Amino acid sequence: MTDRTSILPYTTVFIKLLKGPVEYLEKGAWEQLLQYQAELTRFLGQLGLVLVLEKEDGYAYLEQQKLDEEENAIGWVRRIQIGYEESILLVLLRDMMAEFEVGEAATRELIKKRREIKEYAELFFKENPSRVKFIRDLDRLIDRVEELDFLEKVEMHDLPDEQKFRIKKIIKAKVDNEILENFKQQLTEHATGRI
């Protein structure tokens, strides 16, 4: 028989964080995270982990502390390989998020139909073979980005293009403003033929 008093009160949220980001929509875990933030931060520090908590945007995740100048880390957090086309879609989704946040949003969450995501992505590519392939593969890319947990299907529909997705704010942590601006500059240079 185990002694339940020896289990840390933030164990549940710690395990959730090891599996991936925690959002404010997960009420129990979010409240536990806020309640035990200081204790959890100290505990994580002993394990070589850092808690990144964005209260305003409503998400938290773990980062690994670097052990040396070569950026070696212990390896607690799972690293995900993201392909080139997936990266492009993530940047485009992040751009949608930036536009959403600048506008007078009546809701806290950005919800888009699959069709709207595809139409937005099409705007960034002029007619060329890479555009055709990218557009053809968009459905697969959207599904992959959903698997990577940057999109969440919030409404099913008989027509796949009418399915609704929530673009998760954690995308802001993975695609920051500097990456977004560099990408836009490269697209502009590509469109004007300077690349």
Side-chain angles (χ1 to χ4, degrees), residues 13-23 26 60-62 77-78 149 170:
V13 74
F14 166 65
I15 292 169
K16 276 187 151 305
L17 283 164
L18 283 176
K19 293 178 181 177
V22 172
E23 295 182 284
E26 304 169 68
Y61 63 96
L62 297 179
V77 181
R78 177 177 64 117
D149 215 22
I170 187 70

Coordinates of all heavy atoms in Angstrom, one line a residue, residues 13-23 26 60-62 77-78 149 170:
V13 N -0.3 17.6 -13.0 CA 0.1 18.6 -14.0 C 1.5 18.4 -14.5 O 1.8 18.7 -15.7 CB -0.2 20.0 -13.5 CG1 0.8 20.5 -12.5 CG2 -0.3 21.0 -14.7
F14 N 2.4 17.9 -13.7 CA 3.8 17.7 -14.1 C 3.8 16.6 -15.2 O 4.4 16.8 -16.3 CB 4.6 17.2 -12.9 CG 5.9 16.6 -13.3 CD1 6.9 17.3 -13.9 CD2 6.2 15.2 -13.0 CE1 8.1 16.8 -14.3 CE2 7.4 14.7 -13.4 CZ 8.4 15.4 -14.0
I15 N 3.0 15.6 -15.1 CA 2.9 14.5 -16.1 C 2.3 15.0 -17.4 O 2.8 14.7 -18.4 CB 2.2 13.3 -15.5 CG1 3.0 12.6 -14.4 CG2 1.8 12.3 -16.6 CD1 2.3 11.6 -13.6
K16 N 1.3 15.8 -17.2 CA 0.7 16.4 -18.4 C 1.7 17.3 -19.2 O 1.7 17.3 -20.4 CB -0.6 17.3 -18.1 CG -1.8 16.5 -17.9 CD -3.0 17.5 -17.7 CE -4.3 17.0 -18.1 NZ -4.4 16.6 -19.5
L17 N 2.5 18.1 -18.5 CA 3.5 18.9 -19.1 C 4.6 18.1 -19.8 O 5.1 18.5 -20.8 CB 4.1 19.8 -18.1 CG 3.3 21.0 -17.6 CD1 3.8 21.6 -16.4 CD2 3.2 22.1 -18.7
L18 N 4.9 16.9 -19.2 CA 5.9 16.1 -19.9 C 5.3 15.6 -21.2 O 6.1 15.3 -22.2 CB 6.2 14.9 -19.0 CG 7.2 15.1 -17.9 CD1 7.3 13.9 -17.0 CD2 8.5 15.6 -18.3
K19 N 4.0 15.4 -21.3 CA 3.4 14.9 -22.6 C 3.2 16.0 -23.6 O 3.1 15.7 -24.8 CB 2.1 14.2 -22.3 CG 2.2 13.0 -21.4 CD 0.9 12.4 -21.1 CE 1.1 11.1 -20.2 NZ -0.2 10.6 -19.8
G20 N 3.1 17.3 -23.2 CA 2.9 18.4 -24.1 C 2.4 19.6 -23.4 O 2.3 19.6 -22.2
P21 N 2.1 20.6 -24.2 CA 1.6 21.9 -23.6 C 0.3 21.7 -22.8 O -0.5 20.8 -23.1 CB 1.3 22.8 -24.8 CG 2.1 22.2 -25.9 CD 2.2 20.7 -25.6
V22 N 0.1 22.5 -21.8 CA -1.2 22.6 -21.0 C -1.8 23.9 -21.3 O -1.1 24.9 -21.3 CB -0.9 22.4 -19.5 CG1 -2.2 22.7 -18.7 CG2 -0.3 21.0 -19.2
E23 N -3.1 23.9 -21.6 CA -3.8 25.1 -21.9 C -4.9 25.5 -20.9 O -5.3 24.6 -20.1 CB -4.6 25.0 -23.3 CG -3.6 24.8 -24.5 CD -4.4 24.7 -25.8 OE1 -5.0 23.6 -26.0 OE2 -4.4 25.7 -26.5
E26 N -8.0 23.4 -20.2 CA -8.0 22.2 -19.4 C -8.1 22.7 -17.9 O -7.1 22.8 -17.2 CB -6.7 21.4 -19.6 CG -6.5 21.0 -21.0 CD -5.1 20.5 -21.3 OE1 -4.8 19.4 -20.7 OE2 -4.3 21.2 -22.0
A60 N 1.1 26.7 -21.2 CA 2.4 26.5 -20.6 C 3.0 25.2 -21.2 O 2.3 24.3 -21.7 CB 2.1 26.2 -19.1
Y61 N 4.3 25.2 -21.2 CA 5.0 24.0 -21.7 C 6.4 24.0 -21.0 O 6.8 24.9 -20.3 CB 5.2 24.1 -23.2 CG 6.0 25.2 -23.8 CD1 7.3 25.1 -24.1 CD2 5.4 26.5 -24.0 CE1 8.1 26.2 -24.6 CE2 6.1 27.6 -24.4 CZ 7.5 27.4 -24.7 OH 8.2 28.4 -25.2
L62 N 7.1 22.9 -21.3 CA 8.4 22.7 -20.7 C 9.5 22.9 -21.7 O 9.4 22.5 -22.9 CB 8.5 21.3 -20.1 CG 7.6 20.9 -18.9 CD1 7.8 19.5 -18.5 CD2 7.8 21.9 -17.8
V77 N 12.3 16.2 -22.7 CA 11.2 16.7 -23.5 C 11.4 16.1 -24.9 O 12.5 16.2 -25.5 CB 11.1 18.2 -23.6 CG1 10.0 18.7 -24.5 CG2 11.0 18.8 -22.2
R78 N 10.3 15.5 -25.5 CA 10.3 14.9 -26.8 C 10.5 16.0 -27.9 O 9.8 17.0 -27.9 CB 9.0 14.2 -27.0 CG 8.8 13.5 -28.3 CD 7.5 12.8 -28.3 NE 6.4 13.7 -28.2 CZ 5.5 13.9 -29.1 NH1 5.5 13.2 -30.3 NH2 4.5 14.7 -29.0
D149 N -0.3 18.9 -32.7 CA -1.0 19.6 -31.6 C -1.0 21.1 -31.7 O -1.1 21.8 -30.7 CB -0.5 19.1 -30.2 CG -1.7 19.1 -29.2 OD1 -2.8 19.0 -29.6 OD2 -1.4 19.1 -28.0
I170 N -0.2 28.1 -28.6 CA 1.2 27.5 -28.4 C 2.0 27.8 -29.6 O 3.2 27.8 -29.6 CB 1.1 26.0 -28.0 CG1 2.5 25.5 -27.6 CG2 0.6 25.2 -29.1 CD1 3.1 26.0 -26.3

